[in-house]
Protein backbone atom coordinates (compact mmCIF):
# COMPACT_ATOMS: atom_id res chain seq x y z
CA UNK A 1 0.00 0.00 0.00
CA UNK A 2 1.21 3.55 0.59
CA UNK A 3 4.73 4.29 1.75
CA UNK A 4 5.98 6.11 4.86
CA UNK A 5 9.30 7.99 4.60
CA UNK A 6 11.29 7.53 7.81
CA UNK A 7 14.23 9.36 9.37
CA UNK A 8 15.00 6.48 11.73
CA UNK A 9 13.95 2.85 12.08
CA UNK A 10 14.77 -0.23 14.11
CA UNK A 11 16.31 -2.99 12.00
CA UNK A 12 15.34 -6.59 12.75
CA UNK A 13 16.14 -9.86 10.91
CA UNK A 14 12.64 -9.76 9.44
CA UNK A 15 13.11 -6.21 8.16
CA UNK A 16 12.43 -2.73 9.45
CA UNK A 17 10.21 -2.81 12.53
CA UNK A 18 6.53 -2.98 11.48
CA UNK A 19 7.46 -3.17 7.79
CA UNK A 20 5.54 -5.75 5.73
CA UNK A 21 4.04 -7.45 8.78
CA UNK A 22 0.44 -7.24 7.55
CA UNK A 23 -1.19 -8.88 4.53
CA UNK A 24 -4.51 -8.13 2.83
CA UNK A 25 -6.46 -11.15 1.57
CA UNK A 26 -9.45 -11.31 -0.76
CA UNK A 27 -12.57 -13.41 -0.25
CA UNK A 28 -10.70 -16.49 -1.47
CA UNK A 29 -7.77 -16.00 0.91
CA UNK A 30 -5.48 -14.87 -1.94
CA UNK A 31 -3.04 -12.11 -1.05
CA UNK A 32 -3.72 -8.77 -2.74
CA UNK A 33 -0.97 -6.64 -4.31
CA UNK A 34 -0.65 -3.69 -6.67
CA UNK A 35 -0.09 -6.15 -9.51
CA UNK A 36 -3.86 -6.62 -9.64
CA UNK A 37 -5.03 -3.72 -7.46
CA UNK A 38 -2.91 -0.67 -8.41
CA UNK A 39 -5.19 1.59 -6.37
CA UNK A 40 -3.59 0.07 -3.26
CA UNK A 41 -0.78 2.59 -3.75
CA UNK A 42 -3.15 5.42 -2.78
CA UNK A 43 -4.13 3.94 0.59
CA UNK A 44 -2.27 6.37 2.83
CA UNK A 45 -0.51 5.48 6.06
CA UNK A 46 0.28 7.80 8.96
CA UNK A 47 2.46 6.71 11.89
CA UNK A 48 0.68 7.04 15.22
CA UNK A 49 1.85 6.14 18.72
CA UNK A 50 -0.13 2.89 18.86
CA UNK A 51 -0.51 1.96 15.20
CA UNK A 52 -0.91 3.00 11.58
CA UNK A 53 -3.78 5.29 10.70
CA UNK A 54 -4.91 4.37 7.18
CA UNK A 55 -7.06 6.54 4.95
CA UNK A 56 -8.41 6.37 1.41
CA UNK A 57 -10.03 9.19 -0.57
CA UNK A 58 -13.17 10.37 1.24
CA UNK A 59 -13.48 7.29 3.43
CA UNK A 60 -12.92 8.03 7.11
CA UNK A 61 -9.66 6.65 8.53
CA UNK A 62 -9.20 3.52 10.61
CA UNK A 63 -6.37 2.39 12.88
CA UNK A 64 -4.26 -0.74 12.42
CA UNK A 65 -2.78 -1.30 15.90
CA UNK A 66 0.82 -2.37 16.37
CA UNK A 67 -0.28 -4.68 19.18
CA UNK A 68 -0.67 -8.31 18.16
CA UNK A 69 -4.34 -9.34 17.89
CA UNK A 70 -5.59 -12.05 20.25
CA UNK A 71 -7.38 -13.98 17.51
CA UNK A 72 -6.49 -17.66 16.91
CA UNK A 73 -3.46 -18.52 14.79
CA UNK A 74 -4.36 -19.29 11.17
CA UNK A 75 -2.36 -19.85 7.98
CA UNK A 76 -1.66 -17.20 5.36
CA UNK A 77 0.19 -17.72 2.10
CA UNK A 78 2.58 -15.61 -0.02
CA UNK A 79 3.55 -17.30 -3.26
CA UNK A 80 4.55 -20.84 -2.20
CA UNK A 81 5.18 -19.98 1.45
CA UNK A 82 2.60 -20.76 4.12
CA UNK A 83 3.01 -18.57 7.19
CA UNK A 84 1.28 -18.47 10.58
CA UNK A 85 -0.78 -15.32 11.06
CA UNK A 86 -3.55 -13.80 13.16
CA UNK A 87 -6.66 -12.05 11.86
CA UNK A 88 -7.13 -8.38 12.62
CA UNK A 89 -10.39 -6.91 13.93
CA UNK A 90 -13.63 -7.10 11.94
CA UNK A 91 -13.89 -3.30 11.85
CA UNK A 92 -10.59 -3.19 9.95
CA UNK A 93 -11.77 -5.89 7.54
CA UNK A 94 -14.98 -3.95 6.89
CA UNK A 95 -12.97 -0.80 6.16
CA UNK A 96 -10.84 -2.51 3.51
CA UNK A 97 -13.90 -4.27 2.10
CA UNK A 98 -15.48 -0.87 1.53
CA UNK A 99 -12.35 0.41 -0.21
CA UNK A 100 -12.30 -2.46 -2.70
CA UNK A 101 -16.05 -3.14 -2.82
CA UNK A 102 -15.39 -6.80 -2.06
CA UNK A 103 -14.84 -8.87 1.06
CA UNK A 104 -11.30 -8.41 2.38
CA UNK A 105 -9.41 -9.55 5.45
CA UNK A 106 -6.25 -8.16 7.02
CA UNK A 107 -3.90 -10.53 8.84
CA UNK A 108 -0.75 -9.94 10.87
CA UNK A 109 2.17 -12.31 10.66
CA UNK A 110 2.79 -14.29 13.84
CA UNK A 111 5.79 -13.03 15.80
CA UNK A 112 7.70 -16.32 15.71
CA UNK A 113 6.69 -17.35 12.21
CA UNK A 114 9.44 -18.79 10.03
CA UNK A 115 9.34 -18.42 6.29
CA UNK A 116 11.86 -19.68 3.77
CA UNK A 117 12.79 -17.45 0.86
CA UNK A 118 11.06 -18.22 -2.40
CA UNK A 119 14.12 -19.93 -3.83
CA UNK A 120 14.47 -22.34 -0.93
CA UNK A 121 17.68 -20.80 0.37
CA UNK A 122 18.61 -21.46 4.00
CA UNK A 123 17.98 -17.85 5.00
CA UNK A 124 14.65 -17.54 6.78
CA UNK A 125 12.56 -14.42 6.95
CA UNK A 126 9.46 -13.58 8.92
CA UNK A 127 7.70 -10.94 6.90
CA UNK A 128 5.48 -10.60 3.86
CA UNK A 129 8.20 -9.16 1.64
CA UNK A 130 8.33 -10.80 -1.79
CA UNK A 131 11.68 -12.45 -1.11
CA UNK A 132 14.10 -10.60 1.18
CA UNK A 133 13.32 -8.05 3.88
CA UNK A 134 15.76 -5.43 2.54
CA UNK A 135 16.20 -3.69 -0.80
CA UNK A 136 18.82 -1.00 -1.46
CA UNK A 137 19.16 1.26 -4.52
CA UNK A 138 21.61 4.04 -5.39
CA UNK A 139 20.35 7.43 -6.54
CA UNK A 140 22.84 7.33 -9.42
CA UNK A 141 21.29 4.09 -10.65
CA UNK A 142 17.99 5.94 -11.00
CA UNK A 143 19.75 8.90 -12.62
CA UNK A 144 21.24 6.54 -15.20
CA UNK A 145 17.82 5.07 -15.96
CA UNK A 146 16.13 8.47 -16.15
CA UNK A 147 18.66 9.65 -18.73
CA UNK A 148 17.26 6.95 -20.99
CA UNK A 149 13.58 7.65 -20.33
CA UNK A 150 11.47 10.21 -22.16
CA UNK A 151 9.73 11.04 -18.89
CA UNK A 152 11.84 10.64 -15.72
CA UNK A 153 10.34 8.66 -12.85
CA UNK A 154 10.79 9.00 -9.07
CA UNK A 155 12.47 6.46 -6.81
CA UNK A 156 9.09 5.67 -5.22
CA UNK A 157 8.29 3.41 -8.21
CA UNK A 158 10.81 0.89 -6.85
CA UNK A 159 9.56 0.77 -3.22
CA UNK A 160 13.03 0.41 -1.72
CA UNK A 161 13.87 0.28 2.00
CA UNK A 162 17.19 2.07 1.59
CA UNK A 163 18.29 4.74 -0.87
CA UNK A 164 21.88 5.99 -0.92
CA UNK A 165 23.72 8.82 -2.63
CA UNK A 166 27.19 8.64 -4.16
CA UNK A 167 28.95 5.85 -6.01
CA UNK A 168 28.66 4.91 -9.66
CA UNK A 169 25.39 3.86 -11.23
CA UNK A 170 24.54 0.25 -10.31
CA UNK A 171 27.58 -0.14 -8.07
CA UNK A 172 25.28 -1.97 -5.63
CA UNK A 173 25.06 -4.83 -8.16
CA UNK A 174 28.46 -6.15 -7.05
CA UNK A 175 28.19 -5.80 -3.29
CA UNK A 176 28.53 -8.99 -1.25
CA UNK A 177 28.60 -7.50 2.24
CA UNK A 178 28.00 -3.92 3.31
CA UNK A 179 27.02 -1.93 6.35
CA UNK A 180 24.84 1.12 6.96
CA UNK A 181 26.00 2.87 10.09
CA UNK A 182 26.88 -0.06 12.36
CA UNK A 183 24.42 -2.51 10.84
CA UNK A 184 25.79 -5.27 8.61
CA UNK A 185 23.95 -6.71 5.61
CA UNK A 186 24.67 -9.52 3.14
CA UNK A 187 23.50 -9.76 -0.44
CA UNK A 188 20.94 -12.21 -1.76
CA UNK A 189 20.82 -11.19 -5.41
CA UNK A 190 19.93 -8.37 -7.76
CA UNK A 191 16.25 -7.49 -7.78
CA UNK A 192 14.27 -8.49 -10.85
CA UNK A 193 11.49 -5.98 -11.33
CA UNK A 194 7.78 -6.53 -12.00
CA UNK A 195 4.93 -4.40 -13.32
CA UNK A 196 4.45 -2.64 -9.98
CA UNK A 197 7.25 -0.31 -11.18
CA UNK A 198 4.90 0.94 -13.92
CA UNK A 199 2.38 2.24 -11.36
CA UNK A 200 2.46 5.87 -10.23
CA UNK A 201 2.67 5.51 -6.44
CA UNK A 202 0.87 8.81 -5.87
CA UNK A 203 -2.12 8.20 -8.15
CA UNK A 204 -2.36 4.41 -8.38
CA UNK A 205 -2.47 4.69 -12.18
CA UNK A 206 -0.53 2.38 -14.50
CA UNK A 207 1.71 4.58 -16.65
CA UNK A 208 2.38 2.34 -19.66
CA UNK A 209 5.36 0.01 -20.02
CA UNK A 210 8.08 2.15 -18.48
CA UNK A 211 10.50 1.67 -16.85
CA UNK A 212 10.37 -2.03 -17.77
CA UNK A 213 10.65 -1.40 -21.51
CA UNK A 214 13.88 0.56 -21.07
CA UNK A 215 15.29 -1.78 -18.43
CA UNK A 216 14.80 -4.66 -20.86
CA UNK A 217 17.24 -3.00 -23.26
CA UNK A 218 20.20 -2.78 -20.90
CA UNK A 219 19.43 -4.40 -17.54
CA UNK A 220 18.15 -7.80 -18.62
CA UNK A 221 19.89 -10.92 -17.28
CA UNK A 222 18.28 -14.24 -18.07
CA UNK A 223 14.60 -13.28 -17.74
CA UNK A 224 15.09 -10.64 -15.05
CA UNK A 225 15.05 -6.87 -15.46
CA UNK A 226 17.35 -5.95 -12.59
CA UNK A 227 17.23 -2.77 -10.56
CA UNK A 228 18.42 -2.69 -6.94
CA UNK A 229 19.99 -5.25 -4.62
CA UNK A 230 18.09 -7.61 -2.32
CA UNK A 231 19.70 -8.28 1.05
CA UNK A 232 19.41 -10.02 4.40
CA UNK A 233 20.66 -8.84 7.77
CA UNK A 234 24.22 -9.93 8.50
CA UNK A 235 24.92 -12.97 10.65
CA UNK A 236 24.64 -12.52 14.43
CA UNK A 237 23.61 -8.89 13.98
CA UNK A 238 22.15 -7.22 17.06
CA UNK A 239 19.00 -5.14 17.01
CA UNK A 240 20.06 -1.62 16.03
CA UNK A 241 18.60 1.59 14.69
CA UNK A 242 19.34 3.02 11.28
CA UNK A 243 19.15 6.76 10.62
CA UNK A 244 18.88 9.03 7.63
CA UNK A 245 22.42 10.17 6.85
CA UNK A 246 24.19 7.02 8.07
CA UNK A 247 27.26 6.15 6.00
CA UNK A 248 27.19 3.16 3.65
CA UNK A 249 30.43 1.14 3.65
CA UNK A 250 31.05 -1.69 1.19
CA UNK A 251 32.90 -4.53 2.95
CA UNK A 252 33.28 -6.96 0.04
Amino acid sequence: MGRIPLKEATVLPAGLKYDRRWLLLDENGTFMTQRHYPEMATINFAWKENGFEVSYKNLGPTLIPFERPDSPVSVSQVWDDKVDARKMGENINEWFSEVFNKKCQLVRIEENAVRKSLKGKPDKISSYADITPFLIIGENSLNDLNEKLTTPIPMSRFRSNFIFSGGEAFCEDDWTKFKIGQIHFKRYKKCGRCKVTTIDQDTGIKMGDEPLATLSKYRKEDRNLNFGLRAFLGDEQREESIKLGDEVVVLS
Side-chain angles (χ1 to χ4, degrees):
M1 303 184 209
R3 64 195 183 279
I4 302 180
L6 299 175
K7 293 183 177 180
E8 183 175 357
T10 300
V11 179
L12 303 169
L16 301 183
K17 191 174 184 178
Y18 302 129
D19 183 34
R20 293 168 171 85
R21 301 301 201 275
W22 289 265
L23 188 69
L24 192 62
L25 309 175
D26 67 12
E27 67 271 25
N28 298 314
T30 302
F31 70 102
M32 299 168 63
T33 77
Q34 289 184 32
R35 296 172 181 85
H36 297 102
Y37 304 93
E39 65 272 26
M40 292 180 79
T42 63
I43 297 178
N44 297 310
F45 278 65
W47 191 292
K48 301 297 181 180
E49 183 178 352
N50 58 341
F52 292 121
E53 183 181 77
V54 291
S55 58
Y56 180 73
K57 296 184 177 179
N58 296 324
L59 186 63
T62 192
L63 185 75
I64 300 175
F66 293 142
E67 183 179 356
R68 186 182 69 176
D70 58 4
S71 56
V73 175
S74 58
V75 176
S76 60
Q77 185 163 344
V78 176
W79 306 120
D80 294 330
D81 292 333
K82 294 183 178 180
V83 191
D84 287 343
R86 292 177 186 260
K87 299 176 182 179
M88 301 299 294
E90 192 57 37
N91 62 317
I92 297 174
N93 296 335
E94 291 174 356
W95 189 90
F96 281 106
S97 297
E98 186 170 352
V99 169
F100 293 98
N101 195 30
K102 63 188 296 181
K103 187 173 179 59
C104 299
Q105 178 177 274
L106 190 72
V107 298
R108 189 189 196 283
I109 197 166
E110 184 69 343
E111 292 293 341
N112 297 319
V114 174
R115 175 188 166 198
K116 292 183 178 180
S117 72
L118 300 185
K119 299 300 181 181
K121 298 294 183 182
D123 304 276
K124 293 181 173 63
I125 58 176
S126 300
S127 81
Y128 289 125
D130 259 4
I131 302 178
T132 62
F134 303 107
L135 173 64
I136 186 166
I137 300 174
E139 288 182 333
N140 284 332
S141 300
L142 179 63
N143 293 339
D144 185 272
L145 173 61
N146 277 333
E147 288 176 358
K148 298 172 174 60
L149 296 175
T150 302
T151 303
I153 62 174
M155 186 67 84
S156 59
R157 290 279 194 99
F158 299 98
R159 299 178 62 87
S160 179
N161 305 103
F162 306 131
I163 302 163
F164 69 93
S165 59
E168 297 181 358
F170 305 111
C171 62
E172 61 270 28
D173 283 357
D174 301 320
W175 297 355
T176 301
K177 294 181 180 180
F178 63 96
K179 67 177 183 176
I180 305 176
Q182 298 303 312
I183 304 178
H184 290 244
F185 298 88
K186 57 182 178 180
R187 77 174 286 127
Y188 176 59
K189 65 177 182 178
K190 286 177 275 189
C191 181
R193 309 311 308 214
C194 71
K195 64 182 180 180
V196 170
T197 60
T198 67
I199 298 168
D200 186 313
Q201 293 296 302
D202 293 321
T203 65
I205 296 174
K206 191 176 185 301
M207 304 298 290
D209 296 326
E210 295 292 4
L212 296 180
T214 297
L215 288 174
S216 69
K217 297 175 182 177
Y218 82 120
R219 294 290 299 168
K220 188 173 183 179
E221 298 179 46
D222 297 324
R223 293 182 296 174
N224 295 319
L225 307 181
N226 293 321
F227 195 89
L229 182 70
R230 294 189 181 276
F232 290 104
L233 197 62
D235 296 330
E236 300 181 1
Q237 180 68 50
R238 297 179 304 168
E239 179 177 322
E240 298 272 3
S241 291
I242 198 166
K243 300 179 180 65
L244 187 66
D246 280 348
E247 184 180 17
V248 179
V249 177
V250 180
L251 302 175
S252 63

